[in-house]
Amino acid sequence: MFFLFISSITYGKPLIVTTIKPLADIINEITGERAEVYYLIPPDRSIHFYEFKASDIKKLYNSDIFVYIGSGEPNIDGLLSNVKNKKIKISEIDNIKLIYKFEFLHTDHEDHHHHSGKENFHPLFYLDPENSKIFAEYITKEIIKLDKSGKNYYLKRKQKFISRLTEFTDKWRKKIKSLDNKNFISYHYSWPYLTKSFGLNYIDVIELGHGREPTPKHLLEVIKKIKKYKIKTVFSAKQFYNRKYLDILSKETGVKIVLLDPFGINMDFFGMMEFNLKNIFTNLK
């Protein structure tokens, strides 16, 4: 890995580091072979509890651009002091639509609302394709500042990404619109951007905050909603769940448990989006 850093410096390729894989995937769509792109947090881990390593600091020290979200990640202050060059915080990019609070009105959710604030929004903004397009536009401009000779190359690839994402989004919005049942329950509150963008009705979640177990009262209310809305499937991110509580719901209501993946383990950005939407569509059909 260290050789890659040396070679990227030697040959003048921009070196771009992100906290999470989906951001690196989008950047790779734009840069192709003209840049070295890395992410710090493995996609099979919870971003909330990851501990940064010495190797992460080495990556950041050599980076030309560091992209981080600014909410939901581990404490990043110590890392930022090792960034010599451009730092890009998602919350400071104009026009990206961030979700700042839990949208459920249930009183049991009061303790883990995402209250308004620049640093306290839901981090998985890219699951709304419109946000991913805005990010692609922004990061392309920053990359061109580093590699002006690649301007036409980057602009062409960026436009291809946006066109492909538009076509992809239109396809899945039409498919999901055709569903009679659009009611959605998940273990962790991982999917507000995706459900809002694709017209799903987010009914409830099981977990009462990051790593907080649901109370018996809350579980009973989720069970009531499963029965009321005739929910057949409960979804969970692979990175965020406690199987014990999913098994309780399955035993009490007969719901099927389907694991989704908001970070793309062994999948690129489009593969990750396709995987999630296909599984949601198939199991709500």
Side-chain angles (χ1 to χ4, degrees):
M1 185 63 78
F2 185 67
F3 170 78
L4 290 176
F5 293 130
I6 296 298
S7 66
S8 70
I9 295 165
T10 302
Y11 293 105
K13 287 185 177 183
L15 177 59
I16 305 166
V17 178
T18 72
T19 45
I20 62 171
K21 182 176 176 290
L23 301 187
D25 287 342
I26 293 171
I27 294 168
N28 268 316
E29 293 282 343
I30 295 158
T31 60
E33 297 297 318
R34 286 190 73 104
E36 298 286 352
V37 184
Y38 298 92
Y39 54 88
L40 301 180
I41 303 174
D44 60 346
R45 306 277 288 278
S46 165
I47 65 169
H48 305 309
F49 304 113
Y50 178 76
E51 293 184 7
F52 294 113
K53 301 177 175 63
S55 58
D56 297 329
I57 294 172
K58 185 185 290 184
K59 290 176 186 176
L60 289 180
Y61 189 77
N62 289 321
S63 66
D64 295 297
I65 298 175
F66 175 49
V67 184
Y68 64 106
I69 300 170
S71 177
E73 297 153 315
N75 190 322
I76 211 161
D77 293 342
L79 285 185
L80 293 177
S81 63
N82 292 283
V83 180
K84 297 183 297 179
N85 297 308
K86 181 77 176 183
K87 296 186 278 283
I88 295 174
K89 183 193 269 190
I90 294 302
S91 60
E92 295 176 353
I93 299 176
D94 290 341
N95 300 321
I96 284 183
K97 294 180 174 63
L98 300 173
I99 293 175
Y100 283 95
K101 64 180 181 178
F102 218 95
E103 293 182 343
F104 304 134
L105 299 178
H106 196 291
T107 54
D108 274 9
H109 295 303
E110 286 176 356
D111 289 342
H112 68 300
H113 281 193
H114 294 271
H115 294 291
S116 282
K118 209 61 165 151
E119 312 304 321
N120 202 6
F121 56 89
H122 195 289
L124 306 189
F125 73 97
Y126 54 86
L127 291 175
D128 178 346
E130 304 312 315
N131 280 340
S132 290
K133 291 177 190 177
I134 293 165
F135 174 68
E137 294 277 8
Y138 183 91
I139 198 68
T140 300
K141 292 175 184 175
E142 294 299 328
I143 294 166
I144 289 169
K145 291 176 186 177
L146 290 175
D147 181 15
K148 293 180 176 63
S149 65
K151 179 178 179 179
N152 291 336
Y153 174 85
Y154 295 129
L155 289 175
K156 184 177 179 180
R157 288 184 66 96
K158 181 261 295 180
Q159 194 52 51
K160 182 180 178 182
F161 170 76
I162 289 176
S163 297
R164 184 181 173 192
L165 186 52
T166 298
E167 184 179 340
F168 174 91
T169 305
D170 290 346
K171 176 188 80 172
W172 277 107
R173 282 179 179 160
K174 285 176 185 174
K175 287 175 76 75
I176 289 175
K177 189 176 181 180
S178 72
L179 291 171
D180 293 328
N181 170 30
K182 299 181 181 67
N183 294 325
F184 185 94
I185 290 179
S186 67
Y187 182 83
H188 183 79
Y189 188 53
S190 303
W191 309 99
Y193 293 100
L194 186 140
T195 53
K196 187 174 182 179
S197 180
F198 288 90
L200 294 166
N201 182 24
Y202 217 141
I203 298 293
D204 214 332
V205 296
I206 298 158
E207 186 182 68
L208 296 173
H210 305 316
R212 289 180 57 196
E213 296 184 354
T215 62
K217 178 185 175 184
H218 179 62
L219 275 182
L220 284 173
E221 293 189 352
V222 172
I223 288 168
K224 286 179 186 176
K225 288 183 180 180
I226 287 172
K227 293 176 178 178
K228 176 182 177 181
Y229 293 102
K230 297 181 172 59
I231 301 291
K232 295 179 181 177
T233 305
V234 169
F235 299 94
S236 176
K238 292 179 180 181
Q239 298 84 354
F240 309 108
Y241 73 97
N242 184 325
R243 189 79 210 189
K244 176 173 76 172
Y245 297 106
L246 292 173
D247 287 344
I248 290 171
L249 290 182
S250 186
K251 182 179 178 182
E252 292 294 324
T253 66
V255 292
K256 181 180 178 182
I257 307 301
V258 172
L259 299 182
L260 306 176
D261 181 3
F263 297 113
I265 303 168
N266 300 320
M267 294 178 280
D268 65 10
F269 178 80
F270 284 102
M272 177 265 296
M273 293 293 287
E274 178 84 15
F275 174 82
N276 291 320
L277 289 164
K278 184 176 181 179
N279 272 289
I280 290 168
F281 178 79
T282 301
N283 287 284
L284 292 184
K285 197 172 178 181

